[in-house]
Amino acid sequence: MSRRGSWFFLSQLKPGLYLLLAASVLLFAGAIIVDLNSDNFRTLNFMLLFEWLALYRDRPILYVWMFVLFAVLLTLAINTCLCTWTYIKNTKQSGITIKRAAIILFHLSFLLFLSAHLVYECTGSSETIILKKGAVSQMSGEQLSLEPVMLRRMQLDVAGKKIRMGTRASIIIKDFAGEIATIYPESMKPVFSMGYSFHVGMNEKGLSDEQIRVIIRRSPAIYIFIVGAAGIVLAFLLFMFSSRPFRIELSKKLS
Amino acid sequence: MDLNYGFFEYCMVAALIFYAVSTFLTFFRVRRFGSLLLMAGAGINLVALISLGYIGGKWYLFPTLDELRLIPAVMALFAYPLIRGRGRGEAIAVLGSLLIVTCIAVIVQTDPPVPNIKGKSLVASLFFLSEAISAALFLLAGTVAFAALLTDSFFMESLNDLVLWGFVVFTLCQIFGALWAFIGWSYPFSWSTRHLLSASIWCFYGAAIHLRYVGMNTKSKALIIMSGVTPVIFMVYHHEIIELLGVLT
């Protein structure tokens, strides 16, 4: 197939459909692979993809699956770009409607999500540290020191039973430039500060009352995810508004 | 007064009986009364779920969103317009799938739920609610596609609507899920069975909503949509399937 021919082929809807089906099958197979190798994949949640691939170089099945998945998703992203561009051109000629705007926004948000995933897997840093109340701990690789000054285990009393509801902490953080900040993270309530997000770990096993497990993460992908998510929510609202039953209901209410 | 777990179980059995009678009546073309019983069953099913949240004199939202029991209620609510206005074959297929899902919900034994740390955030509840709605819509779409293949009559209007709205709600569910995973575990996407299955389902139904724009015969379309039920079942009943496989092996 000529170069122009392959671009033309990729700008069609049908290859996009087959690519989505192929991605679905690969992800389903991946779910089974992950089920059988859950410990190997759990480490990938806290590592960059390249580091992880280097660690598991003796497991070709994991390599091949990951490579094929990324190849399919990359081709899908190119296909979505080309199809969306063609759709925008056609829309410009035939006139824009709310439904079409929602469809365009949805596809652009999908592209943002895919790129966010790529950025997320290839950049950023994360570290899990066990902090002790009153002691200063250093984050390795990053010049950031942390000192928890207050820890409080939260409990809920339900019918006489105490249920663990996580930990609330007050931590003083200091970066390499000497900038100091006090943060108040809590289980299920992370805090953003100095370009990092600070999460209190859900797993409290093996920790004393004076200790807390904190996950510190820095990833530019989070911001792309937020923009993508906002785009999808907006597209959803526009789509809802453009649907006929909704408009009929709205006009009834307004009249 | 505290409602105990027994009340919940009795309610689920009552809902199953209502659904079964509704199916029976619809089969014998007593549609109006059948649909009334279907709604009554859905109401009892929802009451059962609400009772799950009433623990120690207080009501909590998170325990009520038990996906296994929420899916039949949502399916019943969506089945109502389907059995009122569509063909008999489609109606019976839809009610049949509702009966299977409800039977599983009644048979599967789980511990009484308690409020926990994972449910501290509202997005967790929104995630489970949207996942149950989308899973119900996908299961109904699979059933309607199955009925279409069996009866050789094509319900493309129902199929397109079910798949489209299922996909839209599932997309929102993925956003709630990513948000929940980030605030709870620090990553928006985890390399776990659950997340990969969700991504697989999203891609599958993303393809399915584009089916109407490509030249493909309706039978093939119905077959593709029907096959989408496999990852949905695997996602919803993953825990039960693994347990069953463990028992069998």
Side-chain angles (χ1 to χ4, degrees):
Chain A
M1 199 178 283
S2 69
R3 200 168 147 231
R4 193 175 174 277
S6 44
W7 278 115
F8 178 73
F9 176 73
L10 267 180
S11 64
Q12 305 291 302
L13 185 64
K14 218 167 188 175
L17 193 145
Y18 291 127
L19 282 166
L20 274 169
L21 285 175
S24 172
V25 171
L26 274 169
L27 287 161
F28 188 69
I32 295 165
I33 294 173
V34 169
D35 225 6
L36 300 171
N37 302 273
S38 57
D39 288 340
N40 299 340
F41 278 93
R42 206 169 289 139
T43 55
L44 184 53
N45 292 329
F46 297 97
M47 286 173 95
L48 295 181
L49 187 65
F50 304 115
E51 293 169 0
W52 184 82
L53 288 172
L55 196 66
Y56 291 100
R57 63 176 63 169
D58 56 339
R59 304 289 304 276
I61 182 90
L62 306 185
Y63 254 88
V64 171
W65 173 71
M66 194 67 88
F67 178 77
V68 177
L69 179 66
F70 269 79
V72 167
L73 290 178
L74 185 69
T75 322
L76 182 64
I78 296 168
N79 173 267
T80 311
C81 275
L82 294 172
C83 285
T84 310
W85 176 242
T86 314
Y87 191 77
I88 291 171
K89 273 202 299 189
N90 292 343
T91 305
K92 265 170 90 179
Q93 280 169 4
S94 57
I96 191 143
T97 59
I98 294 174
K99 194 174 180 179
R100 283 177 181 171
I103 290 169
I104 292 167
L105 189 59
F106 188 87
H107 284 84
L108 294 177
S109 304
F110 169 64
L111 284 170
L112 273 178
F113 258 89
L114 272 185
S115 20
H117 269 294
L118 187 69
V119 174
Y120 179 74
E121 295 300 337
C122 301
T123 62
S125 62
S126 80
E127 191 171 331
T128 306
I129 313 179
I130 294 175
L131 302 175
K132 194 172 180 224
K133 190 178 165 185
V136 179
S137 303
Q138 198 77 28
M139 188 183 171
S140 63
E142 312 275 333
Q143 288 178 314
L144 199 71
S145 65
L146 302 101
E147 184 194 350
V149 287
M150 186 278 286
L151 293 182
R152 194 160 70 84
R153 300 271 187 249
M154 293 177 294
Q155 283 186 329
L156 190 67
D157 196 347
V158 178
K161 259 188 178 175
K162 299 271 184 225
I163 295 169
R164 192 183 62 82
M165 293 301 272
T167 308
R168 184 178 288 165
S170 165
I171 305 170
I172 298 172
I173 50 171
K174 193 175 173 184
D175 71 356
F176 66 95
E179 196 184 327
I180 298 173
T182 306
I183 55 166
Y184 304 95
E186 185 181 321
S187 305
M188 298 293 287
K189 280 184 188 165
V191 168
F192 289 87
S193 183
M194 293 183 181
Y196 296 88
S197 61
F198 297 85
H199 307 253
V200 175
M202 299 276 259
N203 183 7
E204 288 176 355
K205 270 181 198 160
L207 297 181
S208 71
D209 284 347
E210 298 285 289
Q211 288 178 317
I212 182 173
R213 190 176 274 116
V214 175
I215 305 153
I216 305 149
R217 194 177 278 278
R218 187 176 63 181
S219 175
I222 298 302
Y223 303 104
I224 313 174
F225 272 122
I226 292 169
V227 176
I232 284 183
V233 172
L234 186 61
F236 169 76
L237 293 174
L238 287 174
F239 189 77
M240 281 283 288
F241 185 72
S242 70
S243 70
R244 210 169 151 261
F246 183 80
R247 269 188 283 120
I248 292 167
E249 193 68 31
L250 191 73
S251 61
K252 265 186 200 166
K253 275 189 182 156
L254 287 174
S255 63
Chain B
M1 188 190 80
D2 278 11
L3 297 169
N4 61 31
Y5 199 59
F7 174 80
F8 161 76
E9 287 187 329
Y10 276 116
C11 278
M12 282 309 296
V13 173
L16 175 65
I17 293 167
F18 273 76
Y19 294 150
V21 178
S22 168
T23 311
F24 182 79
L25 292 175
T26 308
F27 186 78
F28 289 103
R29 298 175 196 277
V30 191
R31 283 225 189 172
R32 186 167 287 187
F33 194 49
S35 54
L36 275 175
L37 285 182
L38 180 75
M39 281 296 97
I44 294 168
N45 198 333
L46 287 172
V47 167
L49 285 163
I50 291 166
S51 78
L52 273 185
Y54 197 68
I55 305 163
K58 273 186 185 172
W59 188 80
Y60 302 91
L61 175 64
F62 191 66
T64 63
L65 299 167
D66 180 333
E67 209 177 14
L68 224 57
R69 279 82 185 198
L70 186 55
I71 287 175
V74 178
M75 275 178 86
L77 293 174
F78 281 112
Y80 179 76
L82 285 177
I83 67 162
R84 284 296 293 257
R86 306 292 157 111
R88 185 164 163 258
E90 193 179 349
I92 295 297
V94 163
L95 290 171
S97 68
L98 172 64
L99 276 182
I100 295 169
V101 169
T102 318
C103 275
I104 297 171
V106 169
I107 292 165
V108 169
Q109 286 285 316
T110 48
D111 294 330
V114 283
N116 64 37
I117 184 173
K118 290 177 187 171
K120 236 172 103 173
S121 165
L122 180 67
V123 282
S125 302
L126 290 173
F127 167 75
F128 281 111
L129 183 65
S130 53
E131 191 174 71
I133 294 172
S134 50
L137 287 167
F138 291 150
L139 290 173
L140 285 175
T143 314
V144 172
F146 176 67
L149 284 174
L150 277 189
T151 56
D152 263 348
S153 47
F154 294 101
F155 320 115
M156 286 321 287
E157 198 191 331
S158 316
L159 263 184
N160 287 337
D161 285 352
L162 288 169
V163 169
L164 179 66
W165 285 104
F167 177 76
V168 169
V169 179
F170 194 66
T171 305
L172 282 182
C173 162
Q174 293 310 293
I175 291 172
F176 293 135
L179 198 57
W180 184 39
F182 179 73
I183 63 172
W185 291 266
S186 85
Y187 35 78
F189 177 82
S190 137
W191 290 90
S192 63
T193 307
R194 176 86 176 174
H195 283 224
L196 287 167
L197 272 175
S198 295
S200 167
I201 292 168
W202 191 89
C203 286
F204 182 88
Y205 285 97
I209 56 166
H210 288 96
L211 279 174
R212 67 174 98 173
Y213 304 112
V214 294
M216 193 183 274
N217 67 54
T218 31
K219 209 160 194 169
S220 306
K221 284 181 189 172
L223 201 64
I224 290 175
I225 292 170
M226 205 183 83
S227 62
V229 169
T230 313
V232 177
I233 289 175
F234 209 73
M235 181 185 75
V236 175
Y237 302 108
H238 179 251
H239 185 68
E240 285 73 29
I241 290 170
I242 297 292
E243 262 188 15
L244 192 66
L245 286 175
V247 170
L248 293 177
T249 54

